[in-house]
Amino acid sequence: MTIFQKSIIALAGLSLTVLIIVSCSEGTVIYSELDYYREGQLKNTFRNEIAPLHSLFADECTKLNNASIAFANQPNQVNLEELRKQWLETVLTWKRCELYNQGPVEQSFIHNSIDKWPINATTIETSISSENTIDNSYITSRGSNAKGLAAIEYLIFDQNKNTNEIIDAFNDQRSITVHQLNVVKLSK
């Protein structure tokens, strides 16, 4: 190998070494810039999407609570339809919130208390037919598949009964259960 060839190889090796060093340091700068933009994007997403969406969900829960109170006080077809309509609005808003069920939010398991499938119909019916006082602490003590939006759906959309049968089935205990199952209580 001639001196010229050795010089070219040495120069190529030196150039490669310099290129690697420069690339690594520039990569660090690029990473910092990406990290900076990522943080801004996450703050923007929270401020403009997540927080307003959860605020909207809280509003829908309040409306669902009001509809459940109206139905509990007067179980009739008009109030049942209003309750069903508001339940649907609440669920649709919740489905948009579920998109952000990640990280610490997911680890809190609050989502399970709001909408857990499949429901446990036996637990719900046993609770209704029992002599227990159905209040917020009782509902909180129930498993996640016996409360929340899914449990309310089970009670107000029974596919084995027509509308009049559903209304007739709402004795005092069943009406109290619908009201207490409301997620507005669980989301606070």
Side-chain angles (χ1 to χ4, degrees):
M1 194 181 284
T2 67
I3 294 180
F4 180 72
Q5 290 174 327
K6 287 182 183 179
S7 297
I8 294 292
I9 291 174
L11 186 58
L14 182 61
S15 297
L16 183 59
T17 303
V18 169
L19 183 62
I20 289 172
I21 291 170
V22 170
S23 295
C24 289
S25 67
E26 285 180 9
T28 303
V29 171
I30 292 171
Y31 176 76
S32 295
E33 287 179 37
L34 288 175
D35 200 36
Y36 170 78
Y37 290 120
R38 181 175 179 263
E39 182 180 339
Q41 184 180 23
L42 290 174
K43 285 180 181 177
N44 183 48
T45 301
F46 177 79
R47 186 176 33 253
N48 296 314
E49 292 180 37
I50 298 172
L53 192 55
H54 280 77
S55 178
L56 177 61
F57 177 66
D59 292 345
E60 293 299 332
C61 286
T62 299
K63 291 175 189 175
L64 181 61
N65 187 51
N66 293 338
S68 70
I69 290 170
F71 183 69
N73 289 335
Q74 244 183 345
N76 59 42
Q77 188 164 353
V78 170
N79 288 340
L80 178 60
E81 291 307 316
E82 281 300 312
L83 178 57
R84 286 174 169 174
K85 180 178 151 190
Q86 188 52 52
W87 174 88
L88 181 59
E89 289 299 317
T90 306
V91 167
L92 292 175
T93 304
W94 174 247
K95 292 301 177 188
R96 292 172 51 202
C97 291
E98 271 188 321
L99 174 67
Y100 302 105
N101 182 18
Q102 302 171 24
V105 174
E106 182 179 27
Q107 293 166 0
S108 74
F109 298 105
I110 186 70
H111 289 71
N112 288 338
S113 293
I114 295 172
D115 193 23
K116 173 77 175 191
W117 288 93
I119 56 110
N120 187 332
T122 303
T123 300
I124 294 169
E125 291 298 336
T126 300
S127 295
I128 291 169
S129 63
S130 75
E131 296 297 318
N132 294 320
T133 300
I134 298 179
D135 57 13
N136 196 36
S137 63
Y138 180 78
I139 295 297
T140 303
S141 74
R142 302 293 86 196
S144 60
N145 60 355
K147 59 186 171 187
L149 293 170
I152 294 171
E153 178 184 19
Y154 166 76
L155 292 170
I156 65 174
F157 289 101
D158 189 336
Q159 297 201 4
N160 297 320
K161 297 178 182 174
N162 66 39
T163 301
N164 289 331
E165 290 172 325
I166 291 172
I167 293 168
D168 291 343
F170 272 85
N171 57 31
D172 289 338
Q173 191 76 335
R174 188 171 286 266
S175 294
I176 290 168
T177 303
V178 167
H179 173 63
Q180 289 299 327
L181 281 172
N182 197 327
V183 293
V184 72
K185 297 171 186 323
L186 299 171
S187 63
K188 290 188 177 186

